[in-house]
Amino acid sequence: MAHRPPLGVSSVWQAVMEPADYQCQCTGGLCGSTHSKTGLRCLNTATHGRLIVAPTDLTLSAVAAAAVPTEQLRAWCSGCHAKAQKRQLDNQREQQRQAADEPLSLF
């Protein structure tokens, strides 16, 4: 079956999708779902919907994400990508909040 890459850098998309077997690479817990009924891996494929290529670290800015080497990219379905990105950003904010110095008290 022929998979149609999106417009843009189709060679990068292809280089990520082939090792991923054209399947979302979200595994247990990244998006909040353990995918326990599917062997701990999301079952969404390029055959049944669109897959995107994005870095493993979803907290990167768009500019930094564009510079990520191919081996640090993974295939994502839109649902897992959105949920995993929200979880990673929430975790990053919480770590920054905890690392911030406590304000000086007046007394």
Side-chain angles (χ1 to χ4, degrees):
M1 170 187 286
H3 296 280
R4 293 182 53 204
L7 296 175
V9 188
S10 61
S11 60
V12 172
W13 188 85
Q14 200 72 31
V16 173
M17 290 300 156
E18 283 181 8
D21 200 26
Y22 298 91
Q23 182 179 351
C24 179
Q25 290 181 297
C26 184
T27 54
L30 292 176
C31 69
S33 169
T34 58
H35 300 297
S36 59
K37 295 180 183 178
T38 59
L40 303 179
R41 185 167 176 196
C42 179
L43 289 180
N44 289 324
T45 65
T47 305
H48 297 103
R50 292 256 180 218
L51 294 180
I52 61 170
V53 171
T56 305
D57 180 1
L58 298 174
T59 61
L60 297 174
S61 68
V63 173
V68 170
T70 305
E71 57 272 359
Q72 293 178 14
L73 297 173
R74 71 171 52 216
W76 293 93
C77 69
S78 60
C80 288
H81 178 266
K83 291 174 189 172
Q85 185 175 41
K86 181 180 182 328
R87 287 172 57 96
Q88 286 185 19
L89 289 171
D90 288 348
N91 188 31
Q92 181 184 46
R93 280 188 217 105
E94 180 60 23
Q95 287 178 351
Q96 289 172 345
R97 186 191 67 75
Q98 290 178 0
D101 294 331
E102 290 190 27
L104 297 173
S105 62
L106 294 174
F107 302 99

XYZ file of all heavy atoms in Angstrom:
802
model
N 0.836 -1.176 0.000
C 0.000 0.000 0.000
C 0.881 1.239 0.000
O 1.869 1.322 0.696
C -0.892 -0.018 1.241
C -1.617 1.292 1.420
S -2.520 1.420 2.935
C -3.878 0.355 2.552
N 0.513 2.208 -0.766
C 1.275 3.459 -0.847
C 0.798 4.419 0.232
O -0.388 4.644 0.394
C 1.100 4.084 -2.220
N 1.737 4.954 0.986
C 1.430 5.952 2.004
C 1.786 7.307 1.428
O 2.858 7.492 0.878
C 2.233 5.698 3.273
C 1.878 4.404 3.925
N 0.774 4.264 4.721
C 2.472 3.192 3.884
C 0.712 3.020 5.153
N 1.730 2.348 4.656
N 0.868 8.248 1.544
C 1.095 9.582 1.002
C 1.634 10.486 2.089
O 0.926 10.807 3.038
C -0.211 10.142 0.458
C -0.693 9.380 -0.766
C -1.960 9.955 -1.325
N -1.786 11.383 -1.562
C -2.800 12.235 -1.594
N -4.026 11.830 -1.402
N -2.584 13.514 -1.819
N 2.899 10.925 1.963
C 3.448 11.851 2.952
C 2.825 13.223 2.790
O 2.341 13.575 1.725
C 4.938 11.882 2.629
C 5.027 11.487 1.209
C 3.867 10.578 0.933
N 2.833 14.016 3.854
C 2.315 15.382 3.758
C 3.232 16.252 2.922
O 4.372 15.886 2.642
C 2.288 15.839 5.217
C 3.309 15.006 5.888
C 3.339 13.698 5.165
N 2.738 17.398 2.541
C 3.577 18.353 1.820
C 4.689 18.834 2.740
O 4.535 18.875 3.956
C 2.735 19.547 1.358
C 1.633 19.238 0.349
C 0.809 20.485 0.092
C 2.206 18.711 -0.938
N 5.785 19.210 2.191
C 6.897 19.694 3.000
C 8.070 18.761 2.849
O 8.397 18.318 1.752
N 8.693 18.413 3.937
C 9.881 17.578 3.917
C 9.452 16.106 3.992
O 9.518 15.471 5.036
C 10.836 17.946 5.071
C 12.155 17.219 4.941
C 11.069 19.439 5.111
N 9.011 15.586 2.862
C 8.481 14.228 2.846
C 9.549 13.174 3.124
O 9.250 12.102 3.635
C 7.785 13.930 1.517
O 8.697 14.053 0.453
N 10.822 13.480 2.833
C 11.890 12.512 3.104
C 12.054 12.290 4.614
O 12.313 11.172 5.058
C 13.205 12.974 2.485
O 13.604 14.219 3.021
N 11.882 13.342 5.414
C 11.956 13.209 6.878
C 10.763 12.404 7.370
O 10.905 11.499 8.200
C 12.010 14.596 7.565
C 11.899 14.461 9.075
C 13.280 15.324 7.181
N 9.583 12.712 6.855
C 8.371 11.973 7.242
C 8.559 10.487 6.946
O 8.282 9.640 7.791
C 7.161 12.524 6.499
C 5.849 11.981 6.943
C 5.078 12.430 7.985
C 5.117 10.888 6.377
N 3.926 11.680 8.085
C 3.930 10.729 7.109
C 5.372 10.024 5.313
C 2.990 9.747 6.821
C 4.440 9.041 5.022
C 3.258 8.905 5.768
N 9.048 10.186 5.768
C 9.265 8.799 5.357
C 10.311 8.125 6.250
O 10.139 6.968 6.645
C 9.712 8.761 3.896
C 9.519 7.442 3.216
C 8.061 7.148 2.942
O 7.264 8.042 2.720
N 7.708 5.897 2.991
N 11.387 8.839 6.574
C 12.457 8.281 7.408
C 11.977 7.962 8.814
O 12.516 7.067 9.470
C 13.631 9.258 7.469
N 10.966 8.661 9.296
C 10.412 8.392 10.624
C 9.333 7.307 10.543
O 9.255 6.423 11.389
C 9.832 9.679 11.254
C 9.105 9.382 12.552
C 10.938 10.689 11.487
N 8.511 7.355 9.518
C 7.384 6.422 9.408
C 7.804 4.992 9.103
O 7.197 4.049 9.616
C 6.407 6.888 8.325
C 5.644 8.133 8.690
S 4.662 7.905 10.180
C 4.523 9.600 10.701
N 8.809 4.801 8.288
C 9.210 3.430 7.940
C 9.616 2.618 9.160
O 9.094 1.524 9.372
C 10.301 3.444 6.875
C 9.745 3.739 5.500
C 10.798 3.746 4.410
O 11.962 3.373 4.667
O 10.444 4.130 3.283
N 10.526 3.107 10.025
C 10.858 2.321 11.219
C 9.672 2.186 12.185
O 9.592 1.223 12.947
C 11.996 3.098 11.889
C 12.474 4.073 10.888
C 11.385 4.281 9.900
N 8.758 3.154 12.154
C 7.577 3.104 13.023
C 6.497 2.196 12.452
O 5.457 2.000 13.082
C 7.013 4.507 13.220
N 6.735 1.666 11.258
C 5.765 0.819 10.560
C 4.458 1.563 10.321
O 3.380 0.983 10.397
C 5.528 -0.483 11.327
C 4.932 -1.574 10.461
O 5.132 -1.546 9.229
O 4.245 -2.449 11.024
N 4.559 2.884 10.089
C 3.412 3.744 9.791
C 2.346 3.659 10.892
O 1.162 3.694 10.631
C 2.817 3.402 8.422
C 3.795 3.635 7.313
C 4.640 2.619 6.874
C 3.924 4.891 6.739
C 5.567 2.849 5.871
C 4.850 5.125 5.724
C 5.671 4.094 5.309
O 6.596 4.329 4.318
N 2.810 3.574 12.145
C 1.934 3.483 13.308
C 2.384 4.493 14.348
O 3.579 4.750 14.508
C 1.994 2.068 13.898
C 1.091 1.851 15.087
C 1.168 0.426 15.605
O 1.765 -0.440 14.980
N 0.568 0.182 16.742
N 1.421 5.074 15.056
C 1.732 6.017 16.134
C 2.682 5.346 17.126
O 2.479 4.199 17.511
C 0.439 6.440 16.830
S 0.677 7.572 18.211
N 3.718 6.053 17.508
C 4.714 5.505 18.419
C 4.472 5.858 19.884
O 5.352 5.662 20.711
C 6.113 5.960 18.000
C 6.570 5.329 16.709
C 7.955 5.775 16.313
O 8.172 6.952 16.055
N 8.886 4.848 16.281
N 3.283 6.323 20.197
C 2.957 6.597 21.593
C 2.878 5.259 22.327
O 2.202 4.342 21.881
C 1.623 7.340 21.695
S 1.203 7.810 23.385
N 3.588 5.191 23.415
C 3.577 3.974 24.216
C 3.116 4.302 25.624
O 3.147 5.452 26.044
C 4.975 3.325 24.268
O 5.909 4.304 24.727
C 5.400 2.815 22.908
N 2.711 3.291 26.332
C 2.137 3.395 27.659
C 2.507 4.600 28.482
O 3.627 4.726 28.917
N 1.579 5.492 28.670
C 1.742 6.603 29.578
C 2.135 7.935 28.974
O 1.978 8.951 29.632
N 2.665 7.983 27.770
C 3.093 9.264 27.205
C 1.933 10.239 27.076
O 2.068 11.419 27.364
C 3.752 9.071 25.834
C 5.099 8.363 25.823
C 5.572 8.158 24.389
C 6.116 9.162 26.602
N 0.797 9.749 26.626
C -0.354 10.629 26.414
C -1.358 10.548 27.561
O -2.379 11.208 27.530
C -1.050 10.280 25.094
S -1.897 8.690 25.110
N -1.054 9.729 28.544
C -1.977 9.556 29.651
C -2.726 8.240 29.569
O -3.241 7.734 30.551
N -2.791 7.665 28.385
C -3.403 6.347 28.215
C -2.294 5.312 28.289
O -1.224 5.499 27.700
C -4.100 6.245 26.859
O -4.474 4.909 26.603
N -2.529 4.242 28.963
C -1.510 3.193 29.020
C -1.568 2.312 27.779
O -0.690 1.490 27.572
C -1.691 2.303 30.257
O -2.993 1.726 30.217
C -1.486 3.082 31.531
N -2.590 2.513 26.943
C -2.778 1.681 25.756
C -2.718 0.206 26.155
O -2.174 -0.627 25.439
C -1.736 1.999 24.670
C -1.765 3.406 24.184
N -2.846 3.950 23.534
C -0.836 4.403 24.245
C -2.590 5.209 23.214
N -1.386 5.507 23.643
N -3.271 -0.100 27.329
C -3.151 -1.449 27.886
C -3.877 -2.510 27.064
O -3.475 -3.662 27.055
C -3.656 -1.473 29.333
O -5.006 -1.067 29.374
N -4.906 -2.130 26.363
C -5.645 -3.110 25.560
C -4.960 -3.396 24.225
O -5.377 -4.271 23.498
C -7.070 -2.620 25.300
C -7.892 -2.509 26.566
C -9.284 -2.024 26.260
C -10.066 -1.862 27.556
N -11.402 -1.345 27.312
N -3.911 -2.632 23.920
C -3.266 -2.768 22.614
C -1.772 -3.051 22.749
O -0.996 -2.655 21.886
C -3.475 -1.489 21.793
O -2.919 -0.381 22.521
C -4.930 -1.230 21.507
N -1.370 -3.711 23.790
C 0.048 -4.040 23.941
C 0.920 -2.845 24.267
O 2.075 -2.796 23.883
N 0.367 -1.858 24.948
C 1.063 -0.655 25.397
C 1.506 0.260 24.260
O 2.391 1.081 24.430
C 2.274 -1.005 26.278
C 1.971 -1.847 27.506
C 3.240 -2.131 28.272
C 0.955 -1.166 28.404
N 0.886 0.125 23.080
C 1.205 1.020 21.960
C -0.093 1.420 21.266
O -0.981 0.608 21.064
C 2.128 0.334 20.966
C 2.565 1.283 19.847
C 3.692 0.733 19.045
N 4.002 1.646 17.940
C 4.710 1.312 16.900
N 5.226 0.098 16.810
N 4.936 2.181 15.943
N -0.156 2.692 20.906
C -1.314 3.211 20.186
C -1.475 2.462 18.868
O -0.494 2.155 18.191
C -1.127 4.702 19.929
S -2.479 5.459 19.008
N -2.701 2.184 18.488
C -2.964 1.432 17.263
C -3.253 2.307 16.046
O -3.469 1.779 14.962
C -4.152 0.482 17.466
C -3.892 -0.713 18.369
C -5.137 -1.576 18.492
C -2.730 -1.537 17.858
N -3.261 3.627 16.194
C -3.542 4.486 15.050
C -2.431 4.367 14.016
O -1.246 4.384 14.354
C -3.702 5.940 15.490
C -4.983 6.153 16.256
O -5.998 5.534 15.950
N -4.944 7.011 17.253
N -2.827 4.264 12.762
C -1.869 4.104 11.671
C -2.127 5.132 10.584
O -3.166 5.776 10.551
C -1.972 2.698 11.043
O -3.268 2.568 10.437
C -1.760 1.607 12.075
N -1.183 5.229 9.658
C -1.329 6.132 8.521
C -2.422 5.650 7.577
O -2.947 6.414 6.791
C -0.005 6.260 7.782
N -2.768 4.384 7.665
C -3.823 3.830 6.817
C -5.192 4.363 7.229
O -6.040 4.617 6.386
C -3.829 2.291 6.911
O -2.527 1.819 6.590
C -4.835 1.691 5.961
N -5.391 4.541 8.529
C -6.700 4.944 9.047
C -6.789 6.418 9.412
O -7.811 6.875 9.900
C -7.049 4.094 10.264
C -7.181 2.654 9.926
N -6.197 1.739 10.224
C -8.148 1.970 9.274
C -6.567 0.563 9.794
N -7.736 0.663 9.213
N -5.744 7.155 9.227
C -5.762 8.578 9.568
C -4.415 9.198 9.277
O -3.516 8.566 8.737
N -4.265 10.442 9.633
C -3.008 11.152 9.408
C -2.094 10.994 10.612
O -2.531 11.104 11.754
C -3.270 12.638 9.200
C -3.984 12.936 7.935
C -3.003 13.482 6.953
N -3.675 13.781 5.705
C -3.102 13.569 4.536
N -1.910 13.073 4.479
N -3.740 13.861 3.442
N -0.853 10.740 10.337
C 0.160 10.733 11.381
C 1.086 11.917 11.139
O 1.321 12.311 9.999
C 0.978 9.442 11.346
C 0.247 8.159 11.684
C 1.209 6.971 11.614
C -0.391 8.214 13.060
N 1.573 12.485 12.225
C 2.506 13.596 12.119
C 3.857 13.163 12.664
O 3.967 12.161 13.358
C 2.002 14.846 12.875
C 1.832 14.552 14.368
C 0.708 15.360 12.279
C 1.570 15.778 15.208
N 4.872 13.920 12.339
C 6.212 13.693 12.856
C 6.521 14.845 13.801
O 6.364 16.010 13.438
C 7.238 13.631 11.710
C 8.650 13.608 12.250
C 6.958 12.432 10.835
N 6.926 14.514 15.008
C 7.261 15.530 16.005
C 8.351 14.970 16.913
O 8.523 13.757 17.009
C 6.029 15.905 16.828
N 9.072 15.848 17.592
C 10.128 15.381 18.498
C 9.552 14.595 19.675
O 8.371 14.708 20.004
C 10.777 16.665 19.005
C 10.248 17.764 18.194
C 8.999 17.298 17.542
N 10.401 13.839 20.297
C 10.025 13.138 21.522
C 9.757 14.156 22.623
O 8.820 14.015 23.402
C 11.156 12.185 21.948
O 11.441 11.313 20.852
C 10.768 11.359 23.152
N 10.583 15.210 22.676
C 10.409 16.301 23.641
C 9.434 17.314 23.047
O 9.790 18.116 22.192
C 11.748 16.968 23.943
C 11.649 18.108 24.942
O 10.527 18.390 25.438
O 12.685 18.727 25.231
N 8.205 17.279 23.503
C 7.156 18.136 22.953
C 7.115 19.515 23.608
O 6.234 20.306 23.325
C 5.805 17.446 23.081
C 5.691 16.131 22.305
C 4.382 15.434 22.610
C 5.849 16.367 20.821
N 8.090 19.820 24.458
C 8.141 21.138 25.091
C 9.005 22.111 24.289
O 9.100 23.279 24.643
C 8.693 21.043 26.524
O 10.022 20.536 26.480
C 7.825 20.150 27.396
N 9.618 21.627 23.219
C 10.479 22.480 22.400
C 9.664 23.522 21.650
O 8.520 23.270 21.266
C 11.249 21.638 21.388
C 12.228 20.612 21.944
C 12.790 19.757 20.813
C 13.351 21.304 22.688
N 10.284 24.674 21.401
C 9.635 25.683 20.571
C 9.601 25.176 19.133
O 10.297 24.216 18.783
C 10.431 27.000 20.622
O 11.677 26.836 19.967
N 8.817 25.823 18.286
C 8.720 25.408 16.884
C 10.076 25.500 16.187
O 10.444 24.633 15.392
C 7.689 26.263 16.160
N 10.846 26.526 16.510
C 12.169 26.697 15.903
C 13.106 25.575 16.350
O 13.813 24.973 15.537
C 12.758 28.086 16.252
C 14.190 28.207 15.786
C 11.900 29.186 15.656
N 13.118 25.276 17.632
C 13.978 24.203 18.147
C 13.529 22.841 17.621
O 14.357 21.987 17.299
C 13.962 24.211 19.670
N 12.230 22.625 17.507
C 11.707 21.353 17.000
C 12.105 21.132 15.544
O 12.370 20.004 15.129
C 10.188 21.315 17.146
N 12.181 22.203 14.771
C 12.568 22.086 13.363
C 14.027 21.668 13.212
O 14.407 21.116 12.186
C 12.326 23.407 12.644
N 14.840 21.889 14.226
C 16.261 21.562 14.161
C 16.590 20.199 14.762
O 17.747 19.784 14.758
C 17.066 22.643 14.881
N 15.593 19.489 15.252
C 15.822 18.191 15.885
C 16.236 17.169 14.827
O 15.617 17.077 13.769
C 14.541 17.722 16.625
C 14.644 16.286 17.076
C 14.267 18.625 17.811
N 17.285 16.374 15.099
C 17.690 15.356 14.135
C 16.616 14.269 13.970
O 15.824 14.022 14.884
C 18.967 14.755 14.729
C 19.176 15.391 16.036
C 18.145 16.434 16.257
N 16.616 13.632 12.835
C 15.596 12.640 12.502
C 15.487 11.530 13.542
O 14.385 11.086 13.853
C 15.893 12.024 11.114
O 16.007 13.081 10.174
C 14.806 11.078 10.681
N 16.612 11.104 14.100
C 16.560 10.002 15.075
C 15.870 10.392 16.376
O 15.544 9.522 17.185
C 17.950 9.420 15.334
C 18.983 10.402 15.810
C 19.724 11.098 14.665
O 19.471 10.825 13.498
O 20.565 11.951 14.982
N 15.631 11.668 16.608
C 14.918 12.111 17.813
C 13.466 12.468 17.511
O 12.791 13.081 18.326
C 15.634 13.299 18.438
C 16.991 12.950 18.995
C 17.696 14.156 19.575
O 17.103 15.209 19.806
N 18.989 14.017 19.813
N 12.996 12.090 16.345
C 11.605 12.323 15.962
C 10.820 11.027 16.098
O 11.380 9.941 16.035
C 11.531 12.818 14.511
C 12.210 14.143 14.218
C 12.210 14.413 12.715
C 11.526 15.281 14.961
N 9.513 11.162 16.272
C 8.666 9.981 16.334
C 7.356 10.258 15.615
O 6.982 11.401 15.403
C 8.430 9.525 17.767
C 7.536 10.412 18.589
C 7.155 9.827 19.933
N 8.316 9.402 20.681
C 8.345 8.331 21.467
N 7.285 7.603 21.626
N 9.424 7.999 22.121
N 6.684 9.187 15.264
C 5.378 9.271 14.618
C 4.313 9.423 15.696
O 4.332 8.714 16.705
C 5.117 8.013 13.803
N 3.401 10.360 15.488
C 2.321 10.611 16.450
C 0.989 10.692 15.716
O 0.902 11.295 14.652
C 2.500 11.966 17.124
C 3.676 12.135 18.022
C 4.895 12.623 17.682
C 3.746 11.865 19.420
N 5.715 12.685 18.771
C 5.037 12.219 19.852
C 2.843 11.359 20.352
C 5.446 12.077 21.175
C 3.249 11.232 21.659
C 4.532 11.583 22.060
N -0.068 10.151 16.304
C -1.413 10.480 15.839
C -1.770 11.800 16.517
O -1.154 12.178 17.517
C -2.420 9.374 16.182
S -2.805 9.186 17.929
N -2.729 12.510 15.989
C -3.031 13.845 16.531
C -3.525 13.781 17.974
O -3.194 14.646 18.782
C -4.039 14.566 15.648
O -5.236 13.835 15.568
N -4.292 12.756 18.317
C -4.807 12.641 19.688
C -3.705 12.425 20.701
O -3.639 13.118 21.732
N -2.831 11.466 20.447
C -1.726 11.195 21.372
C -0.772 12.385 21.444
O -0.293 12.729 22.526
C -0.966 9.944 20.948
S -1.866 8.394 21.224
N -0.515 13.025 20.308
C 0.384 14.170 20.286
C -0.145 15.296 21.176
O 0.584 15.845 22.014
C 0.580 14.666 18.850
C 1.460 15.864 18.747
N 0.953 17.141 18.721
C 2.811 15.980 18.692
C 1.959 17.995 18.639
N 3.088 17.324 18.623
N -1.407 15.638 21.021
C -1.992 16.737 21.800
C -1.974 16.423 23.297
O -1.603 17.276 24.116
C -3.418 17.015 21.333
N -2.346 15.199 23.661
C -2.377 14.825 25.081
C -0.974 14.744 25.674
O -0.747 15.203 26.796
C -3.094 13.489 25.247
C -4.571 13.566 24.954
C -5.198 12.185 24.989
C -6.620 12.217 24.481
N -7.165 10.859 24.332
N -0.025 14.180 24.927
C 1.343 14.066 25.425
C 1.984 15.451 25.563
O 2.706 15.715 26.527
C 2.170 13.187 24.495
N 1.708 16.327 24.602
C 2.258 17.682 24.678
C 1.711 18.414 25.901
O 2.462 19.065 26.629
C 1.936 18.456 23.408
C 2.584 19.822 23.372
C 2.360 20.537 22.057
O 1.261 20.492 21.502
N 3.385 21.193 21.559
N 0.426 18.285 26.152
C -0.164 18.933 27.324
C 0.463 18.389 28.611
O 0.823 19.148 29.502
C -1.677 18.736 27.344
C -2.344 19.413 28.536
C -3.830 19.197 28.544
C -4.562 19.875 29.666
N -3.896 20.040 30.923
N 0.630 17.077 28.690
C 1.230 16.470 29.886
C 2.668 16.951 30.085
O 3.074 17.282 31.201
C 1.195 14.952 29.795
C -0.182 14.358 29.979
C -0.179 12.856 29.691
N 0.779 12.137 30.515
C 0.499 11.521 31.649
N -0.730 11.525 32.095
N 1.431 10.883 32.323
N 3.453 16.993 28.998
C 4.846 17.423 29.113
C 4.945 18.895 29.502
O 5.776 19.268 30.334
C 5.601 17.168 27.808
C 5.927 15.713 27.575
C 6.777 15.503 26.338
O 7.415 16.419 25.823
N 6.797 14.271 25.847
N 4.099 19.741 28.910
C 4.123 21.169 29.252
C 3.674 21.393 30.695
O 4.259 22.214 31.412
C 3.258 21.973 28.283
C 3.825 22.116 26.875
C 2.776 22.734 25.937
C 5.100 22.941 26.879
N 2.644 20.672 31.139
C 2.193 20.779 32.527
C 3.304 20.348 33.485
O 3.548 20.994 34.505
C 0.943 19.930 32.767
C -0.305 20.503 32.122
O -0.281 21.677 31.675
O -1.315 19.776 32.040
N 3.992 19.266 33.148
C 5.086 18.774 33.976
C 6.236 19.781 34.019
O 6.812 20.034 35.070
C 5.572 17.418 33.451
C 6.581 16.779 34.381
O 6.542 16.969 35.579
N 7.493 16.015 33.808
N 6.549 20.376 32.871
C 7.612 21.378 32.808
C 7.262 22.594 33.665
O 8.097 23.098 34.413
C 7.847 21.806 31.362
C 8.957 22.818 31.202
C 9.086 23.294 29.759
O 8.085 23.613 29.126
N 10.306 23.336 29.259
N 6.014 23.054 33.571
C 5.578 24.204 34.389
C 5.664 23.890 35.876
O 6.089 24.730 36.678
C 4.153 24.608 34.014
C 4.076 25.430 32.766
C 2.661 25.981 32.550
N 2.383 25.966 31.131
C 1.600 25.106 30.497
N 0.945 24.193 31.166
N 1.438 25.162 29.195
N 5.265 22.690 36.259
C 5.308 22.300 37.672
C 6.753 22.243 38.171
O 7.048 22.693 39.279
C 4.621 20.945 37.867
C 4.603 20.451 39.296
C 3.882 21.371 40.270
O 3.024 22.174 39.852
O 4.178 21.292 41.474
N 7.659 21.719 37.358
C 9.069 21.676 37.748
C 9.642 23.077 37.886
O 10.405 23.353 38.816
C 9.881 20.879 36.733
C 9.639 19.392 36.802
C 10.423 18.623 35.757
O 11.033 19.206 34.869
N 10.394 17.304 35.859
N 9.276 23.975 36.986
C 9.742 25.363 37.072
C 9.183 26.046 38.311
O 9.875 26.810 38.975
C 9.348 26.135 35.816
C 10.117 25.724 34.592
C 9.587 26.355 33.319
O 8.479 26.893 33.290
N 10.360 26.277 32.253
N 7.929 25.767 38.626
C 7.310 26.360 39.802
C 8.018 25.898 41.068
O 8.304 26.671 41.963
C 5.819 26.008 39.864
C 5.063 26.720 40.987
C 3.669 26.159 41.176
N 3.643 24.803 41.679
C 3.893 24.439 42.944
N 4.221 25.349 43.837
N 3.823 23.181 43.314
N 8.329 24.597 41.130
C 8.995 24.053 42.311
C 10.434 24.532 42.428
O 10.968 24.664 43.526
C 8.954 22.521 42.290
C 7.577 21.966 42.525
C 7.535 20.449 42.444
O 8.544 19.808 42.216
N 6.362 19.879 42.635
N 11.087 24.783 41.284
C 12.470 25.228 41.299
C 12.620 26.711 41.614
O 13.703 27.171 41.991
C 13.144 24.917 39.963
N 11.547 27.453 41.446
C 11.612 28.904 41.691
C 11.877 29.159 43.170
O 11.394 28.456 44.047
C 10.308 29.561 41.270
N 12.692 30.161 43.416
C 12.963 30.544 44.797
C 11.713 31.066 45.452
O 10.910 31.746 44.828
C 14.047 31.611 44.854
C 15.386 31.094 44.389
O 15.642 29.897 44.544
O 16.170 31.912 43.885
N 11.557 30.755 46.705
C 10.412 31.289 47.426
C 10.621 32.782 47.619
O 11.737 33.248 47.829
C 10.269 30.594 48.773
C 9.841 29.158 48.632
C 9.470 28.567 49.984
O 9.063 29.326 50.882
O 9.579 27.353 50.095
N 9.554 33.548 47.539
C 9.691 34.997 47.730
C 10.157 35.326 49.140
O 9.884 34.589 50.091
C 8.285 35.523 47.482
C 7.379 34.361 47.616
C 8.185 33.138 47.319
N 10.865 36.413 49.253
C 11.323 36.851 50.568
C 10.123 37.321 51.387
O 9.239 37.983 50.903
C 12.320 38.001 50.411
C 13.614 37.645 49.659
C 14.425 38.914 49.433
C 14.410 36.630 50.428
N 10.145 36.957 52.635
C 9.032 37.380 53.482
C 9.327 38.775 54.048
O 10.468 39.205 54.124
C 8.829 36.389 54.629
O 9.971 36.357 55.440
N 8.265 39.439 54.449
C 8.427 40.772 55.017
C 8.901 40.720 56.456
O 9.508 41.658 56.956
C 7.101 41.533 54.924
C 6.642 41.860 53.500
C 5.259 42.485 53.539
C 7.633 42.800 52.838
N 8.625 39.641 57.126
C 8.963 39.582 58.544
C 9.829 38.382 58.851
O 9.734 37.332 58.456
C 7.708 39.537 59.414
C 6.827 40.721 59.160
C 5.731 40.629 58.318
C 7.103 41.942 59.763
C 4.905 41.719 58.098
C 6.271 43.033 59.526
C 5.179 42.928 58.702
